[in-house]
Amino acid sequence: MDASTEFENGQAKFDAIIAADEKIEPRDWMPDGYRKTVIRQMAQHAHSEVIGMQPEANWILRAPTLLRKAILIAKVQDEAGHGLYLYSATETLGVSRDELVGLLHEGKQKYSSIFNYPALSWADMGAIGWLVDGAAIVNQIVLQGTSYGPYSRAMVKICKEESFHARQGYSIMMALAEGSDEQKAMCQDALNRWWWPALMMFGPHDSESAHTAESMAWKIKRKTNDELRQMFIDQTVPQAHYLGMTIPDPDLVFDEETGHWTIGEIDWDEFWATIKGDGRLNRERITHKVKAWDEGRWVRDAATAYAAKQKMKPDKSA
Amino acid sequence: MSYEVPVAPGDKPHEIQFGGGGEHGFPLWEVFVRAKRGLNHTHVGSLHAPDAETAIQNARDGYTRRAEGVSVWVVPSIEIVASDDAESMFEPFEHKPYRHPTFYEIPEEVGQL
């Protein structure tokens, strides 16, 4: 079979699998563009899980009760696990995790810019779980249907765990909303600061999104940015009202005709500035990540040396 | 054929030092978890670890944080031998419907069969 026939056969089979809503698996033929898009999306997703540990890890020692502390530790551990699942899934496409981590450290691959906003008070742990993880869940539930098998399977596993993240966040917000005036103010303040960044997590409007059409055709993405954002808004606005809090958007109205909440204009200048690295914490997050990596080197070296030494010993079972 | 992950076309491997180890740092292990007694171990994902003992520990932390399993296997990914998934490998079975019980029409009077 010559190269062009192999390409045509591969493309035809790939197209048929996508059309039949089946999954593409690691060793299948796939277009270069598909491979690159899935690698980029999964790697950025993995990086986001890993960098996402920082704002919350920062609050573990300041958690108000032992139970809240244990919960926060469990959540941060989950984020590390989610990073692992996603790096593993990405590795099935022929890149090594070391390369991906290197690209993150060198600033050549990005993570979600939501993690470049500071977590200023304990209420932020509530707002992050409720809004940031809540937004991530909306995105990830739909991504369970993504066309790349390992990515889809990672999403199924992550979604099972992520629901705990959102609920523990809302539970923090409920406790504050039922508390003193000062605690209520903390709750409102955290909502004020995290609402818009959470909405920006879904990315630019469909009309501005360079990759949406292609990713939809390949069924990597199953819903557009605006569709997902609207799902999140509709589920979250009533939750804010239940807390007795106000969504920081004077233009927010419920459209009786469509049954959807309509929001005011998102500050896209802030969005692009944060993406491009002007966020308050961009440099700090990466510096911290690289520092942790470098400081862990002796552990990796020791583990490698120990494994090599064990291999040289005569087999105990023999 | 080995379960070797192909290098993505156009991807240039970056020179990244990892613990002074091999070109990909710690080797890759495939993880299998038995959800409960009576069930098979099922593939759940993979991880990197320097040796089998650490791979088991990491699999416990990475894949069974919520009582997902009662037993874990780890297998060096490089040891897995995979089939060539070309259609010719599995196609012949499509033409052998007589291997399925539903191929045979049995009169109702015969009863359970």
Side-chain angles (χ1 to χ4, degrees):
Chain A
M1 203 187 318
D2 64 30
S4 68
T5 320
E6 195 177 328
F7 173 83
E8 280 162 27
N9 288 351
Q11 181 76 54
K13 195 174 170 201
F14 175 87
D15 291 344
I17 292 169
I18 296 287
D21 254 338
E22 288 185 14
K23 303 297 182 200
I24 301 297
E25 294 295 345
R27 297 163 75 249
D28 290 341
W29 184 94
M30 62 190 85
D32 284 354
Y34 179 88
R35 185 184 297 272
K36 281 178 192 157
T37 301
V38 175
I39 289 176
R40 190 184 64 232
Q41 190 172 331
M42 287 197 293
Q44 288 175 357
H45 201 153
H47 298 330
S48 302
E49 301 282 355
V50 169
I51 295 293
M53 290 192 278
Q54 289 187 35
E56 291 179 308
N58 201 23
W59 276 92
I60 288 173
L61 293 177
R62 291 178 282 172
T65 69
L66 195 54
L67 177 61
R68 293 287 187 198
K69 183 177 180 176
I71 292 169
L72 196 53
I73 290 171
K75 181 178 189 294
V76 171
Q77 191 191 20
D78 274 355
E79 307 299 0
H82 296 176
L84 168 71
Y85 310 152
L86 285 159
Y87 281 128
S88 295
T90 316
E91 284 188 303
T92 62
L93 286 175
V95 283
S96 78
R97 186 178 63 182
D98 298 356
E99 288 175 51
L100 299 172
V101 170
L103 292 172
L104 171 67
H105 290 181
E106 292 161 23
K108 289 178 183 163
Q109 274 185 345
K110 296 192 183 301
Y111 55 89
S112 174
S113 46
I114 192 75
F115 302 114
N116 290 330
Y117 292 88
L120 301 176
S121 82
W122 172 252
D124 288 36
M125 294 303 98
I128 288 174
W130 170 38
L131 300 173
V132 174
D133 289 84
I137 290 169
V138 168
N139 190 24
Q140 290 174 155
I141 284 177
V142 176
L143 272 176
Q144 291 178 118
T146 192
S147 59
Y148 187 56
Y151 195 21
S152 161
R153 294 191 285 276
M155 284 302 109
V156 170
K157 192 157 171 48
I158 286 173
C159 283
K160 275 187 199 161
E161 302 183 346
E162 200 89 62
S163 166
F164 142 63
H165 298 178
R167 291 173 72 114
Q168 66 84 36
Y170 195 71
S171 150
I172 291 172
M173 293 303 253
M174 284 201 319
L176 292 169
E178 290 161 7
S180 65
D181 285 349
E182 200 185 344
Q183 287 170 319
K184 283 179 185 150
M186 277 171 73
C187 184
Q188 181 65 58
D189 171 59
L191 171 57
N192 291 349
R193 283 181 292 104
W194 288 97
W195 172 254
W196 290 105
L199 296 188
M200 291 180 203
M201 282 175 72
F202 295 97
H205 283 312
D206 299 343
S207 52
E208 307 285 319
S209 176
H211 302 293
T212 292
E214 192 175 57
S215 287
M216 293 286 287
W218 277 332
K219 296 185 181 173
I220 297 170
K221 285 178 81 157
R222 304 311 305 261
K223 284 193 188 297
T224 68
N225 297 351
D226 286 330
E227 286 172 333
L228 292 165
R229 185 164 23 238
Q230 191 60 50
M231 286 166 69
F232 174 73
I233 292 165
D234 289 339
Q235 78 177 37
T236 309
V237 170
Q239 292 167 355
H241 292 162
Y242 180 83
L243 292 173
M245 298 292 142
T246 310
I247 299 278
D249 178 359
D251 298 324
L252 182 78
V253 283
F254 186 71
D255 187 332
E256 295 281 355
E257 240 172 69
T258 62
H260 294 297
W261 288 91
T262 311
I263 57 163
E265 194 50 43
I266 291 172
D267 182 354
W268 294 110
D269 291 340
E270 179 187 319
F271 172 79
W272 290 114
T274 318
I275 295 267
K276 284 170 186 150
D278 301 335
R280 298 170 62 172
L281 290 170
N282 278 37
R283 196 172 304 133
E284 198 179 308
R285 296 284 187 236
I286 291 296
T287 304
H288 183 80
K289 173 74 176 64
V290 172
K291 183 167 170 270
W293 179 253
D294 289 344
E295 288 178 356
R297 182 180 304 280
W298 72 270
V299 179
R300 299 191 297 274
D301 285 345
T304 302
Y306 179 78
K309 198 173 159 190
Q310 291 302 108
K311 255 190 189 164
M312 284 163 64
K313 282 190 182 170
D315 190 351
K316 278 175 239 159
S317 65
Chain B
M1 183 181 286
S2 74
Y3 189 74
E4 204 177 285
V5 181
V7 172
D11 269 327
K12 278 176 279 173
H14 292 249
E15 304 279 356
I16 299 154
Q17 283 298 112
F18 186 100
E23 57 174 326
H24 293 298
F26 298 149
L28 192 65
W29 304 74
E30 299 301 321
V31 181
F32 300 79
V33 172
R34 184 200 293 285
K36 59 177 187 180
R37 293 182 171 278
L39 298 179
N40 291 319
H41 285 77
T42 307
H43 184 245
V44 293
S46 58
L47 53 79
H48 291 273
D51 55 35
E53 196 185 339
T54 317
I56 290 275
Q57 290 283 338
N58 291 355
R60 195 269 316 269
D61 292 347
Y63 290 99
T64 64
R65 286 192 301 284
R66 289 179 176 78
E68 289 94 335
V70 296
S71 170
V72 173
W73 286 351
V74 293
V75 180
S77 307
I78 202 168
E79 298 291 337
I80 289 181
V81 180
S83 63
D84 174 1
D85 297 344
E87 275 168 30
S88 56
M89 176 85 175
F90 302 101
E91 200 178 42
F93 303 108
E94 298 246 325
H95 307 298
K96 295 173 182 168
Y98 50 83
R99 288 175 181 247
H100 294 281
T102 47
F103 179 77
Y104 306 93
E105 274 187 40
I106 307 292
E108 232 171 78
E109 302 91 280
V110 177
Q112 184 69 31
L113 186 73

